[in-house]
Amino acid sequence: MFFKRTKASGVTQEIRVRRCYGCGAILQDTDPQEVGYVPPEKFESGEDTLCERCYKLRHYSTYKKTPDFNIDYVTILDSAKEEGALVVYVLNAFCLTGALLDGIGKYLPENVIVVVNKRDVLPKSYSDEFLREYVLKKLEPEKIHVQDLIMTSSKGMNIQEMMASIEKHRNGKSVYFIGAYQVGKSSLINRLLKEYKNSTEKMITTSPYPGTTLDVISIPLDNDSYIYDTPGIYNPKSIVSFIEPEIVKYVIPRTEIRPERYQTKAGQSFLLSNLCRIDYVEGPKAELTFYKSNDITIERCKLNKADMTFKLLCDNEQASFRTGKVHSINDLAKTSLSIEENVPYRIRVVGLGFFDFIGGGQKIDVYAPDGVKIICEKNEVSR
């Protein structure tokens, strides 16, 4: 194993120096301009933490635009391929379609582990087998050589399994963590750094990767190899890339989601904050089951009042959250869907969630920010 468990006991434990588990700097709460600074309340808590600099670096969107999948990323992946390194491709279990990076397969080395992160936010009844099959099916067009597929979460689920798989497949080479914006990639690494300490003399550093403008966190594994934590990649088809960084936390589930079921009929509309509207235009009575963040409330109204109700949501300054980029339904793009009969369906609003129902010849209109992908798929095996 390339990390050793942190152990301390007796007097040594009481007098040990507290360090940032990101960069290794000694923590202090007196000078914000010096390395290792944390706010006094964090310092007094005595908990393992990141210094303010590392915290900002780990949350790229707080100070810089999330980068596109551009020549800088190609340069990084070319280096990984030349080295024969291991790539850990991190996906988001809740929003796989928003985590998949189109065209990335041709740039990856032969050695890839896929980590399906945030499994804990899906209901426990959700089928792991279905999730695994769905991921592998979606990856097929990219022709990625998947050595292992692990479901995990930054809260600790299967962390040891993931680390054992990395050690097995890296063959003494470096490891590159890659993934879309907000899949939880850096949180996984933070979890590792909380439980283990660097056993080399080298420091954890953050600097532009050679030949690029991208800041990459380098974590020494041994004297010859590193974990490289790359910034999240901007994915324009996900609603997460459209909304303001400060409301992302409301849209991405943080706890196990609670499916919400609604009996509906033609002429009803469902409003999800001012981010999305779903109109049940035509069709028989049906049950819609929504899967989305528990922080997002669904408001149902008659279709003939939907424009007015949506406008009220846009203007509601007392709402727990709303995007300032949408002022009326005219700011959203409409996708019209025609549904076959007697087939289970799942409609995904990429980055926001999905809903299930039984097809009955319905006509459904989905309104979402322009560019956000709407996916209508037959859910032949309902899980």
Side-chain angles (χ1 to χ4, degrees):
M1 182 62 70
F2 43 82
F3 284 108
K4 293 182 179 179
R5 287 188 179 278
T6 303
K7 293 183 179 180
S9 60
V11 175
T12 303
Q13 183 180 34
E14 295 180 1
I15 66 174
R16 68 183 176 89
V17 174
R18 291 179 59 212
R19 293 182 179 271
C20 167
Y21 62 79
C23 66
I26 297 175
L27 297 178
Q28 52 90 14
D29 64 345
T30 56
D31 189 347
Q33 305 305 316
E34 293 295 327
V35 297
Y37 176 77
V38 292
E41 60 271 19
K42 284 188 178 180
F43 188 81
E44 293 299 328
S45 72
E47 297 179 356
D48 291 339
T49 189
L50 293 169
C51 68
E52 287 295 278
R53 175 177 174 274
C54 284
Y55 180 84
K56 291 178 180 178
L57 288 169
R58 295 287 174 147
H59 297 77
Y60 292 98
S61 61
T62 64
Y63 76 104
K64 66 187 291 187
K65 181 180 178 180
T66 306
D68 297 309
F69 181 45
N70 55 22
I71 189 63
D72 283 344
Y73 263 99
V74 172
T75 299
I76 292 174
L77 294 177
D78 280 348
S79 296
K81 186 180 291 188
E82 289 178 11
E83 182 187 345
L86 173 68
V87 164
V88 178
Y89 187 8
V90 183
L91 305 176
N92 180 339
F94 174 71
C95 182
L96 289 167
T97 46
L100 295 168
L101 302 168
D102 294 338
I104 199 170
K106 61 184 176 181
Y107 300 110
L108 297 181
E110 296 287 316
N111 208 6
V112 178
I113 291 175
V114 174
V115 172
V116 183
N117 193 28
K118 302 190 179 184
R119 170 61 183 90
D120 55 316
V121 305
L122 291 176
K124 293 182 176 63
S125 59
Y126 200 93
S127 169
D128 282 352
E129 180 184 355
F130 172 71
L131 186 57
R132 178 181 294 272
E133 291 175 359
Y134 188 84
V135 170
L136 293 175
K137 181 179 179 180
K138 290 296 182 180
L139 290 175
E140 280 179 5
E142 296 288 346
K143 295 181 171 55
I144 296 173
H145 300 273
V146 180
Q147 304 295 332
D148 199 0
L149 189 152
I150 302 166
M151 296 179 198
T152 186
S153 81
S154 59
K155 297 178 182 178
M157 177 183 177
N158 295 333
I159 292 294
Q160 296 299 324
E161 179 185 343
M162 182 183 73
M163 294 307 297
S165 183
I166 289 174
E167 181 67 3
K168 174 183 177 181
H169 293 289
R170 76 183 186 95
N171 299 318
K173 303 294 180 66
S174 292
V175 181
Y176 290 72
F177 273 71
I178 67 167
Y181 173 48
Q182 291 292 340
V183 295
K185 171 176 52 62
S186 293
S187 295
L188 280 177
I189 295 177
N190 286 350
R191 177 75 188 196
L192 299 176
L193 292 175
K194 281 184 177 181
E195 296 189 16
Y196 296 90
K197 70 177 182 178
N198 175 16
S199 60
T200 75
E201 296 299 320
K202 297 180 179 180
M203 294 292 289
I204 298 171
T205 60
T206 302
S207 59
Y209 192 87
T212 78
T213 61
L214 295 181
D215 284 342
V216 172
I217 298 174
S218 303
I219 304 166
L221 295 176
D222 50 44
N223 291 327
D224 300 309
S225 57
Y226 292 83
I227 282 180
Y228 293 107
D229 178 17
T230 62
I233 300 173
Y234 177 86
N235 189 345
K237 67 185 177 183
S238 173
I239 204 169
V240 171
S241 296
F242 170 84
I243 60 179
E244 300 88 337
E246 58 269 21
I247 69 171
V248 168
K249 64 182 179 181
Y250 298 106
V251 174
I252 295 180
R254 292 168 286 173
T255 57
E256 182 178 335
I257 58 178
R258 300 185 297 271
E260 295 184 22
R261 295 176 173 84
Y262 292 86
Q263 299 296 325
T264 189
K265 60 183 180 179
Q268 292 191 342
S269 186
F270 297 84
L271 288 64
L272 287 74
S273 183
N274 68 333
L275 295 172
C276 175
R277 193 178 99 191
I278 298 161
D279 293 347
Y280 196 86
V281 182
E282 294 180 10
K285 291 181 179 180
E287 181 179 80
L288 307 185
T289 303
F290 288 87
Y291 298 81
K292 43 75 183 174
S293 167
N294 298 329
D295 291 316
I296 297 176
T297 57
I298 296 177
E299 185 159 345
R300 178 166 52 172
C301 67
K302 292 183 178 179
L303 186 54
N304 59 9
K305 295 183 178 180
D307 286 357
M308 178 185 65
T309 306
F310 190 81
K311 177 63 176 171
L312 291 174
L313 290 175
C314 293
D315 296 339
N316 183 11
E317 296 182 357
Q318 304 304 315
S320 57
F321 76 93
R322 61 190 174 123
T323 176
K325 298 181 179 181
V326 177
H327 306 286
S328 74
I329 196 63
N330 295 326
D331 292 327
L332 300 182
K334 181 173 78 170
T335 300
S336 296
L337 305 170
S338 296
I339 308 299
E340 296 179 14
E341 294 189 10
N342 302 318
V343 177
Y345 270 87
R346 173 166 291 172
I347 295 178
R348 300 178 185 269
V349 181
V350 173
L352 185 65
F354 54 90
F355 63 97
D356 293 344
F357 62 100
I358 301 298
Q362 297 98 333
K363 290 186 178 179
I364 297 174
D365 291 338
V366 180
Y367 294 82
D370 191 24
V372 173
K373 191 170 185 179
I374 309 300
I375 300 174
C376 181
E377 56 191 10
K378 294 179 181 179
N379 194 25
E380 298 286 359
V381 183
S382 184
R383 317 263 180 136

